[in-house]
Amino acid sequence: MRLRAARAERDVRRREGWYFAVGLREMTIAREKSGPAQAEHLELARDAYRRAVWQDPLQTQALIGLAAISHQQGVRAKTDQQLKRVQQVNSTSTQY
């Protein structure tokens, strides 16, 4: 059941899956950039992940993506808050 749910989260035919894919793409591009270009792609990734979570509040992969962005930017309190939210949403998830 959990595997099926994880696949559904990444299904680009669903809006939350498409937004997650956009966020993932922008995160990948951001890793190759630096300075303002990196910040721009991280912001695009954050927006996409937020939209995925808005479409499906149980979208744990997008929540983890948001936590990864906060971690990369050095905002520990926000990272911890987002990871706690992942635990609340899906206490059995092995993704965090």
Side-chain angles (χ1 to χ4, degrees):
M1 178 70 178
R2 199 173 358 163
L3 183 60
R4 191 176 341 153
R7 262 192 248 131
E9 285 183 343
R10 295 186 306 258
D11 186 354
V12 295
R13 294 172 294 186
R14 299 173 62 160
R15 285 184 184 211
E16 64 272 17
W18 188 82
Y19 286 127
F20 171 73
V22 170
L24 197 58
R25 183 190 68 207
E26 293 299 331
M27 285 283 290
T28 302
I29 293 170
R31 287 187 191 110
E32 300 168 356
K33 307 284 184 183
S34 62
Q38 183 182 43
E40 179 182 345
H41 287 284
L42 286 175
E43 191 60 35
L44 290 171
R46 180 182 289 118
D47 288 345
Y49 287 145
R50 284 181 180 157
R51 288 178 183 189
V53 172
W54 184 78
Q55 290 289 323
D56 179 6
L58 303 178
Q59 227 287 8
T60 56
Q61 293 177 339
L63 289 169
I64 291 169
L66 288 168
I69 292 170
S70 296
H71 177 72
Q72 186 172 352
Q73 293 178 334
V75 186
R76 183 180 170 103
K78 193 166 191 169
T79 303
D80 291 343
Q81 176 187 16
Q82 289 165 333
L83 289 175
K84 285 178 185 176
R85 185 171 173 200
V86 170
Q87 286 178 316
Q88 290 172 348
V89 167
N90 188 358
S91 61
T92 62
S93 178
T94 59
Q95 299 175 29
Y96 52 86

